Amino acid sequence: MSKTVHVAVYDTYADWELGYVTAGINRPLMQREPGAWQIRTVGATTAPITSMGGLRVVPDLTLDQLTPEDSAMLILPGADIWEGEQLLPFARAAQDFLAAGVPVAAICGATYGLAAQGLLDSRPHTSNAAEYLVPTGYSGAAQYRDEPAVTDGDLITASGIAPIDFARHVFARLDLFDPAVLDAWYRLYAERDPQGFYDLQAQGAESA
């Protein structure tokens, strides 16, 4: 199995939705296989893009170079432009990944793009709100779950205001951490439980 996680980047992508995910994958200290994982960014081209927070990123590879067999997961952040057709190629890439049995994780506006592509019609999922997905014309409203994040097999979906829950689902799907480490991490960051910090230290993991 590939240990490369591909993160899609495009203009106005919501950088805050990815912070916990990318830090957790890129820092080896808490992982089952320290140093085995890497993140590579994927753009429509290799031209620099600018995030919603003004960060400039130069993609590592282009979408036409991306293949499911070379990836452990495709992560799609939200962006101001998901409700148009500009990011349709990324939704189609997600479709190819799911068809190949490679996980896809989508948060915020990216769930809109997946719904428009028909990828949420028969899968339990969540988003920013049930009403947010209605304009896509999708037929999966009965599958909507009012939860911060939902995992259904190879598909993870999340609300844009739940980046910590999104990260927890991504980490669990990748089997990145021992369950006790992931539990302590979540208690520290999501529940603000100081005991989570001490539990991480007790297991030899730094909480960053």
Side-chain angles (χ1 to χ4, degrees):
M1 169 185 163
S2 173
K3 298 295 185 181
T4 300
V5 175
H6 289 92
V7 175
V9 290
Y10 21 74
D11 282 329
T12 76
Y13 86 86
D15 37 32
W16 71 87
E17 296 171 352
L18 298 179
Y20 291 99
V21 168
T22 54
I25 294 172
N26 212 44
R27 292 189 78 240
L29 295 174
M30 296 188 293
Q31 299 172 5
R32 288 181 186 270
E33 301 176 70
W37 293 88
Q38 67 169 336
I39 289 176
R40 300 196 74 198
T41 53
V42 185
T45 70
T46 55
I49 63 92
T50 303
S51 75
M52 200 175 292
L55 302 180
R56 287 175 62 79
V57 177
V58 178
D60 295 314
L61 70 159
T62 57
L63 196 56
D64 60 2
Q65 296 173 313
L66 178 66
T67 59
E69 56 266 27
D70 293 328
S71 184
M73 178 180 285
L74 174 62
I75 298 179
L76 302 171
D80 286 341
I81 53 178
W82 265 112
E83 296 175 24
E85 297 187 356
Q86 187 173 343
L87 298 184
L88 183 58
F90 289 91
R92 289 174 176 159
Q95 186 170 27
D96 292 341
F97 266 62
L98 293 172
V102 179
V104 171
I107 183 170
C108 194
T111 63
Y112 189 100
L114 298 193
Q117 189 66 16
L119 300 179
L120 305 185
D121 287 347
S122 59
R123 297 172 178 269
H125 62 275
T126 192
S127 182
N128 298 332
E131 296 80 7
Y132 174 64
L133 298 180
V134 171
T136 68
Y138 88 130
S139 59
Q143 299 287 342
Y144 188 86
R145 304 290 184 266
D146 189 14
E147 300 174 19
V150 171
T151 295
D152 178 62
D154 290 327
L155 179 64
I156 297 168
T157 50
S159 164
I161 59 172
I164 298 176
D165 289 89
F166 183 58
R168 180 175 66 161
H169 281 247
V170 168
F171 298 158
R173 184 63 185 81
L174 293 174
D175 199 24
L176 195 66
F177 306 125
D178 287 328
V181 171
L182 182 56
D183 177 69
W185 178 90
Y186 186 77
R187 284 188 285 112
L188 176 61
Y189 287 101
E191 300 171 1
R192 300 179 300 282
D193 178 1
Q195 187 59 44
F197 173 81
Y198 297 112
D199 289 346
L200 287 172
Q201 282 195 324
Q203 296 170 71
E206 294 187 12
S207 60

